[in-house]
Amino acid sequence: MANLNIVLLEPEIPSNTGNIGRTCVATGTRLHLIEPLGFRLTEKNLRRAGMDYWKDLDVTTYINYEDFLEKNPGAKIYMATTKGPQVYTDVSYGPDCYIMFGKESAGIPEEILLENQERAVRIPMIGDIRSLNLANSVAIVLYEALRQNNFDHMRLDGHLTKYDWK
């Protein structure tokens, strides 16, 4: 079974993290938050964006990046960054991999990227756009990882409420 992990390194905007938490609940993905956070986990905007799903979220917080690495030894971590040398669809995401995203204002520090360049990936964009919204970026890369793992454990069929599909 796929046990994917999303890692947010020092997220700053509570509504982004709330939306990402909701996406994690919908996909059975664990969320890892590396401090410092730009908000409190009890903040109203975080809970509002996560709706009533936040209580079902599998979330772990870490005091810093080193604490995260120490508590997840051997984790295969992909670094999602606008500076990545390869496109996010060009790598193979294993069923238990970690996908890390940096804070909204600065991304993942270049020292960390340099140490992980073979797993640094980017979402293609045109022109001089700095970056996509963090929650959107997480959804794009996460769903590619889920697709590569055949949407393991996910519901693949939809149902109408009043009618049957023909």
Side-chain angles (χ1 to χ4, degrees):
M1 182 165 130
N3 293 305
L4 298 172
N5 298 271
I6 293 297
V7 182
L8 302 182
L9 178 64
E10 302 177 6
E12 299 166 315
I13 301 173
S15 58
N16 280 337
T17 301
N19 283 315
I20 292 164
R22 182 176 179 182
T23 298
C24 288
V25 171
T27 59
T29 302
R30 292 183 65 209
L31 179 60
H32 304 263
L33 301 175
I34 300 175
E35 296 178 359
L37 308 180
F39 51 86
R40 296 177 197 261
L41 290 177
T42 56
E43 195 160 317
K44 185 177 175 182
N45 288 338
L46 176 78
R47 303 277 180 188
R48 182 181 299 136
M51 296 183 66
D52 56 340
Y53 300 104
W54 194 261
K55 65 181 176 17
D56 300 318
L57 180 62
D58 183 357
V59 60
T60 305
T61 58
Y62 305 89
I63 58 171
N64 56 35
Y65 179 65
E66 291 73 25
D67 182 41
F68 167 76
L69 292 177
E70 185 178 300
K71 291 179 178 167
N72 296 282
K76 187 169 187 179
I77 307 167
Y78 292 93
M79 307 282 171
T81 172
T82 58
K83 300 169 181 143
Q86 57 195 334
V87 176
Y88 74 100
T89 55
D90 290 341
V91 299
S92 296
Y93 301 96
D96 58 352
C97 72
Y98 292 69
I99 308 168
M100 179 179 285
F101 297 81
K103 62 183 169 184
E104 290 90 340
S105 65
I108 299 170
E110 288 191 1
E111 307 80 53
I112 294 174
L113 294 175
L114 196 55
E115 294 169 4
N116 296 281
Q117 72 180 58
E118 70 281 355
R119 290 188 308 275
V121 299
R122 70 179 325 242
I123 299 170
M125 296 177 285
I126 62 170
D128 293 329
I129 302 297
R130 261 192 349 259
S131 65
L132 296 173
N133 171 274
L134 179 60
N136 291 338
S137 297
V138 168
I140 289 168
V141 180
L142 175 58
Y143 267 86
E144 173 61 17
L146 290 164
R147 183 194 68 78
Q148 288 185 18
N149 284 277
N150 301 309
F151 298 107
D152 184 38
H153 76 277
M154 297 180 75
R155 185 172 152 187
L156 299 177
D157 59 335
H159 301 281
L160 299 173
T161 54
K162 296 181 183 179
Y163 305 96
D164 289 328
W165 291 111
K166 295 182 186 200

